[in-house]
Structure formats: C-alpha cells, structure tokens
Amino acid sequence: NAGVTQTPKFQVLKTGQSMTLQCAQDMNHNSMYWYRQDPGMGLRLIYYSASEGTTDKGEVPNGYNVSRLNKREFSLRLESAAPSQTSVYFCASSDNPPQDRSEKLFFGSGTQLSVL
Amino acid sequence: GENVEQHPSTLSVQEGDSAVIKCTYSDSASNYFPWYKQELGKRPQLIIDIRSNVGEKKDQRIAVTLNKTAKHFSLHITETQPEDSAVYFCAASRGYGGATNKLIFGTGTLLAVQP
C-alpha cells in the first residue's frame, strides 16, 4: 500500500521556468491538498480539492495552478517560478469519515524545490 | 478565514519532564483540532485530535485540551523521551461539514528533549 506518492523528490529551477509536481493516492480518498512548508511559517494550504472535478484556493494560491485529473491524482503547476516559491511542497489526502471518526490527513514524502 | 497561532516556537525540556504547547484559533465555527508530529526530514503524521464537543482527550502520554469559549487548545506530553523530539503542529478546521476538511496549521513548535 503506497499511500500518497509525490514526484519529484528534489527539483532545481531557474527563475521563469515552469514545472508540474505530481501527486497520486491509492486510498480512494475524496479530498486532496497541496501545502508548502517554509521555516517559521508552518504548513500553508495552497489549493485543495474536495472531489474529482472541483478545486478551491487555500491560503497562498498566487503563482500556482492545480488540476484534479481524476480521483487518484492532483497536480500542482508553477507556470513561471520565482525565488519566493523555494519551499518544501507536501501533497496530502483525506477521506470523509463519519462524524465521530478522525479526519486524518495522509501526507506524501514531500518535494524540495529550489528556484534560483 | 481561519488563523491559528502557536506558542512557543521552540521548547527544550529534560527527559522525564512534561511539555505543553498552546494554540489559539480565530474562527468560532471551527470544530476539529488535530495535532501533527514531524520528525526531521519526514512527513507530518497525526498524533491526536479532538472535536469541539469534547473538552479533553488522552492517548497514553499525550493529551489535548480544548477551551471553546477562549478559542484555545493545548497539547500536553508527559514523561518526555528523546524520541519525542520533533516539530509539532496544531491545526483547526470546520471539519467535513463543508464537504472537505480545509485544515489550517499553526507555525509549529520545535521540541527538544534533552537526555
């Protein structure tokens, strides 16, 4: 059981380049998320998707786009990378449990992105 | 939108002592409050969570308390061990009432347990 798989694990970009971070989950979860983690800033929500075909902005969506390709996959695209987007990116997924059960987020292993 | 503040940003304790991390939230409609632990270089993992209809929850050496009136909640770790050393994040959301769990995190607390 792979859980949440992110690719790539590391990436270096030059300012202005574009790239797509891929995320897939095999737990049949409805909801998927993209977070970025910066020192002293915690985990900040970029975009999330409640279900296939729907996406919504989180706390810091500027400079990013997302696609919920199907129930398994949720990609994050940087159209024109900037040094301020240097960060660790985490994809996560969760189910919609009954009211009394844990709403646990399952995280991927992260992508370390450097924009020079 | 929701805003979560977390204190302290760093905490150093001696092995065997207790550690307390505190968070406040702004959205009175939030009803789900989890805590995640992140070891160095690893992904965050859920360690305990609480809902707004419960004031306290325990799991072995870990407990979480919630004060809805004051809009704050705390993580308590007793008899700390070196393996408790990690970054701890609190979070808050309205839960799945809105079809998805839009979780907003605090800025994290680096806990160091000195042997």
Side-chain angles (χ1 to χ4, degrees), chain A residues 4-6 9 88-91 107-111, chain B residues 41-43:
Chain A
V4 179
T5 303
Q6 278 183 248
K9 292 189 182 299
V88 178
Y89 291 85
F90 284 99
C91 177
F107 284 87
S109 58
T111 297
Chain B
K42 302 289 182 63
R43 70 195 77 186

Side-chain angles (χ1 to χ4, degrees), chain B residues 12-17 80-85 111-115:
Chain B
S12 182
V13 299
Q14 291 295 124
E15 183 176 357
D17 287 350
T80 53
Q81 301 169 3
E83 52 264 39
D84 294 330
S85 295
L111 173 64
V113 180
Q114 309 297 332

Side-chain angles (χ1 to χ4, degrees), chain B residues 54-67:
Chain B
V54 175
E56 183 176 2
K57 184 177 180 180
K58 290 183 180 180
D59 183 3
Q60 299 183 344
R61 297 186 295 108
I62 294 173
V64 57
T65 58
L66 171 66
N67 183 326

Side-chain angles (χ1 to χ4, degrees), chain A residues 12 15 44 59 69 73 83-84 100 113 116:
Chain A
V12 179
T15 297
R44 292 183 292 170
E59 302 170 89
L69 304 171
E73 299 172 288
S84 60
D100 59 340
L113 176 65
L116 306 177

Side-chain angles (χ1 to χ4, degrees), chain B residues 15-97:
Chain B
E15 183 176 357
D17 287 350
S18 296
V20 180
I21 303 169
K22 299 181 179 180
C23 289
T24 60
Y25 62 98
S26 61
D27 184 357
S28 57
S30 288
N31 58 19
Y32 176 67
F33 307 94
W35 287 87
Y36 283 77
K37 175 184 180 182
Q38 186 179 29
E39 297 176 352
L40 186 63
K42 302 289 182 63
R43 70 195 77 186
Q45 293 192 314
L46 179 72
I47 55 172
I48 194 168
D49 55 9
I50 192 170
R51 296 188 182 276
S52 57
N53 59 350
V54 175
E56 183 176 2
K57 184 177 180 180
K58 290 183 180 180
D59 183 3
Q60 299 183 344
R61 297 186 295 108
I62 294 173
V64 57
T65 58
L66 171 66
N67 183 326
K68 281 186 62 180
T69 303
K71 290 193 283 189
H72 67 70
F73 56 113
S74 300
L75 178 71
H76 305 254
I77 304 174
T78 59
E79 301 174 18
T80 53
Q81 301 169 3
E83 52 264 39
D84 294 330
S85 295
V87 178
Y88 292 81
F89 293 97
C90 63
S93 81
R94 295 188 177 189
Y96 281 106

Side-chain angles (χ1 to χ4, degrees), chain A residues 29-32 49-55 68-73:
Chain A
H29 286 168
N30 289 315
S31 300
M32 297 187 73
S49 170
S51 61
E52 182 180 353
T54 67
T55 61
R68 184 73 182 268
L69 304 171
N70 47 56
K71 191 171 185 179
R72 290 187 64 250
E73 299 172 288

